[in-house]
Amino acid sequence: MGRGTLRIYLGAAPGVGKTYAMLAEAHRRVERGTDCVVALVEHHDRPRTEVMLHGLEQIPRSEIDYRSAVFTEMDVDAVLERAPAVALVDELAHTNVPGSRNAKRWQDVEELLKAGIDVISTVNIQHLESLGDVVESITGVRQQETVPDEVVRRADQIELVDMSPQALRRRMAHGNIYQPDKLDAALSNYFRPGNLTALRELALLWTADRVDEYLQQYRGEHNIRTTWQARERIVVGLTGGPEGRTLIRRASRMAAKGSGSEILAVYIARSDGLTSASPKELAVQRTLVEDVGGTFHHVIGDDIPAALLEFARGVNATQIVLGSSRRKTWQYIYGPGVGATVARESGPDLDVHIVTHEEVAKGRGLPIARGARLGRARIISGWLVGVAGPVLLSLLLRSLENGPGLANDVLLFLFLTVAAALLGGLRPALASAAVGVMLLNYWFTPPTQTLTVQDPENFVAIVIFFAVALAVSSVVDLAARRTHQAARLRAESEILSFLAGSVLRGETALDALLERVRETFAMESVALLERASDVDPWTCAGFVGPAPVARPDDADVDMPVGDNMALALSGRVLPAEDRRVLGAFAAQAAVVVDRQRLVSEADRARRLAEGNRIRTALLAAVSHDLRTPLAGIKAAVSSLRSDDVAWSPEDEAELLEGIEDGADRLDHLVGNLLDMSRLQTGTVTPLIREIDLDEVVPMALGGVPEGSVDLDIPETLPMVAVDPGLLERVVANVVENAVKYSPGGEPIAVAASALGERVELRVVDRGRGVPDEAKERIFEPFQRYGDAPRGAGVGLGLAVSRGFAEAMGGTLDAEDTPGGGLTMVLTLTAAPGREQAQDRAVLPAEATS
């Protein structure tokens, strides 16, 4: 009997519907006539899941006594005896009760598979052993029940059951997953949108890795060598040289631009064991690769380009990163180099990136001047071929008894002239033609050993030889000159394109621009100098490189920008043709400086406008909101001082109470105005100390009616590092705001919980709530959302509260209350050195099972 197959429904989070999907698959198989039974399914009292069990045969569970309690587990013997074609086993990571047949449920499933029974199971992504630390850092909860990754990877089929965080939270709010008494705790802790999004990403990436394994297996079975660009894989070719670190970091930045990208660094050694690589440097680069999340590979191959391409196609890579060659110019006679060969033979399915580094050159200079455009080595070679070549050829031909004839002699000399033109340009070719004419006339044209020409045909041949040599030399020299001009214009266009792009992008990094100038022209230092007028001294607006000059006159090259600004370069003197590009750089540097100043002035104007807006709002508040309680106080005092009316003790008490209420409102409004002023001027200095929340929060509730707040502050909470006075003001403002908007006197909820190194205080009301687009606006000064009545405040409470929270290193945000309303979430930092209890964060049963 063969081994059974395993199909796993992998859930991105508890409650996404993996058990429901498993039961739906069972119904489909039963309809097709498959013998399918339920070995164990946990429905967690979810009505829709429980309904799906109807119509399916269920194997009775075994009962196990443990510590005076009875627990039920899957009866493996009963399932083996029943021997169905397919068995449903829920929660693969479950730990069995002590005394069971196996310690873990996945071990029970292994027995069923060995017996030839197909198994359909479920597991959540947070229960995979390799992701335990990651999940704990995200959710603050350590998963106690895990399953080895290899068990899940060996599954014949893995199907991801996914759901967006918003949809999952809606399902929970509707009561489809947990009972109402667990709902608020679950939504506030484990099932926060950020936690669910991170778990979802983990599930997608882990499943993508599994799909990639299937893809590699398929490509191997069908001998597919071309790259399928289903996922970005970047291969970094290392030589063991110091430039390898630059290549690895460049590949890491490329990989960071695409989620799920993979880096594979490969070093190819020759089979003879001879290598110029430094073992120490390779070890450093291996560590660097692992630090950026990549893998290091050591490959043997005599043909470096072929071995590199073979490796890249074998791992289904999409990009190859190589460094510019470190070879000297003359060493290119041995071949075009690894980079050029790989780029030529990579084909359309592999992108090859050639990365420059410090070992190649010190800068990205423009092409060299016209006089040296062919290089010193080529010019010397051209003169040797053009002058010494004809002499050697003459000696060779004279040593032959029967020479090839004058026509062939002319062609041989013409070949040397063309070679001299290709190597050294026009002048060596002209010299070669002149020497060739003299030698042909003297040694090979009758009468020999004289400079006269007897036969007119020979004279015509010599003239044609010289004309052809001159024409070929001119064409070759013109082609070299046009190539030089094209390369230079291309370099200039790239630079001008870069400058234009920086203008369009609004880049304002002066140091980066000056560094680009220094690299482009291979300078030691570059400085941008400016002065207020012609008589004022020069000042440095920015510089790169060592020892920048203080005046343009001290620089090797200076480029004026207007009357009072100049770009000063030190290192070498530039030819005149390079100053055009330098002028573009200088103009761009001036634009960058102007833009920086405009941005600074715009920020200053924005702050002034904001201050003016606040002053205007303050005047409006003073003219209305502050005058309202003042008017009430004045009216009450005037009534008490009036001699025309005899007030009863009850009336006097009521008037005095009105005066007291008005004074309290004034004190509260003025306090918020002063607090906002302190925040605007940055004079809030919190005195941080460790304190328990249950010492501060009750004191902050003194200003709200009794019975309007349901308080839930667990005693097991860790202490928080806060300023008690500021925290009390924050809680008081937030609670008073929630009570004000709570409908019909319905009490609000104030609850605290711990999540990792954070402590959260949530103030929950059941009011009208706030739309998403207004959630940030309610924290701005002098903002009152909706139909808040005039006189209810100047709209500073939440602004002051957020400012105080941030001053203490915390945050204050607004979220929707499930079922309607608004929840204010105050996040604080737990005091250091306090060990958090495992049961701090309330976690639903399925999340830990």
Side-chain angles (χ1 to χ4, degrees), residues 63-353:
E63 296 184 352
I64 301 175
D65 293 329
Y66 179 68
R67 293 184 178 179
S68 303
V70 178
F71 299 88
T72 61
E73 296 288 357
M74 181 175 66
D75 192 338
V76 180
D77 292 328
V79 178
L80 292 174
E81 183 178 355
R82 170 65 174 76
V86 179
L88 307 184
V89 182
D90 203 6
E91 298 182 1
L92 187 63
H94 173 74
T95 300
N96 294 330
V97 176
S100 302
R101 183 189 187 100
N102 295 299
K104 304 287 289 187
R105 186 166 292 168
W106 65 264
Q107 296 171 331
D108 296 338
V109 169
E110 188 67 23
E111 288 196 34
L112 301 183
L113 294 173
K114 289 180 179 179
I117 301 175
D118 295 342
V119 177
I120 303 178
S121 187
T122 65
V123 70
N124 284 328
I125 189 66
Q126 70 263 25
H127 295 301
L128 295 181
E129 181 68 40
S130 64
L131 300 179
D133 294 338
V134 179
V135 173
E136 182 180 11
S137 66
I138 294 171
T139 64
V141 178
R142 180 67 181 183
Q143 298 296 327
Q144 301 300 324
E145 295 188 331
T146 59
V147 58
D149 289 45
E150 188 59 29
V151 173
V152 182
R153 287 184 179 276
R154 285 201 306 262
D156 298 275
Q157 296 183 54
I158 299 176
E159 183 171 336
L160 178 65
V161 183
D162 187 22
M163 182 179 293
S164 69
Q166 294 78 10
L168 180 55
R169 286 171 60 86
R170 283 197 299 269
R171 286 189 61 190
M172 297 185 66
H174 295 158
N176 295 334
I177 300 177
Y178 295 115
Q179 298 299 322
D181 58 337
K182 299 180 180 179
L183 183 59
D184 287 339
L187 290 174
S188 302
N189 293 279
Y190 194 85
F191 289 88
R192 295 158 55 88
N195 293 356
L196 296 177
T197 301
L199 292 174
R200 187 186 191 195
E201 183 178 11
L202 282 178
L204 291 171
L205 292 176
W206 194 93
T207 308
D209 286 336
R210 179 60 174 149
V211 172
D212 188 63
E213 292 177 8
Y214 285 131
L215 179 62
Q216 295 290 358
Q217 181 180 355
Y218 179 84
R219 284 165 48 84
E221 293 174 351
H222 294 77
N223 196 26
I224 298 174
R225 307 304 299 165
T226 58
T227 299
W228 289 0
Q229 298 186 3
R231 179 180 181 183
E232 289 292 342
R233 279 189 180 83
I234 303 174
V235 171
V236 184
L238 301 178
T239 64
E243 78 280 359
R245 306 183 197 183
T246 302
L247 303 185
I248 294 170
R249 294 188 180 98
R250 183 70 179 91
S252 177
R253 293 194 296 271
M254 294 168 58
K257 296 179 180 179
S259 180
S261 299
E262 185 178 355
I263 300 176
L264 301 95
V266 56
Y267 170 72
I268 301 176
R270 298 188 181 276
S271 58
D272 56 11
L274 299 178
T275 176
S276 60
S278 167
K280 182 178 179 180
E281 182 64 28
L282 279 179
V284 172
Q285 294 177 14
R286 178 192 293 269
T287 302
L288 180 59
V289 170
E290 295 171 350
D291 289 343
V292 300
T295 56
F296 186 92
H297 304 268
H298 195 123
V299 177
I300 304 298
D302 292 325
D303 189 341
I304 304 298
L308 181 60
L309 289 171
E310 182 72 16
F311 175 84
R313 294 192 174 102
V315 299
N316 201 26
T318 57
Q319 301 181 60
I320 298 178
V321 176
L322 299 173
S324 297
S325 177
R326 290 181 292 158
R327 295 190 298 176
K328 299 292 185 181
T329 303
W330 63 269
Q331 292 176 315
Y332 280 96
I333 62 176
Y334 299 114
V338 174
T341 305
V342 171
R344 184 181 67 246
E345 299 180 1
S346 61
D349 54 349
L350 268 174
D351 296 333
V352 180
H353 303 268

Side-chain angles (χ1 to χ4, degrees), residues 690-693 695 715-721 754 756-759 829-837 840:
E690 298 180 5
I691 194 170
D692 288 317
L693 278 181
E695 297 181 24
E715 296 181 357
T716 57
L717 280 178
M719 300 178 74
V720 291
E757 298 179 355
R758 307 183 305 273
V759 175
T829 303
R834 295 290 298 268
E835 184 177 354
Q836 315 251 342
R840 273 309 139 68

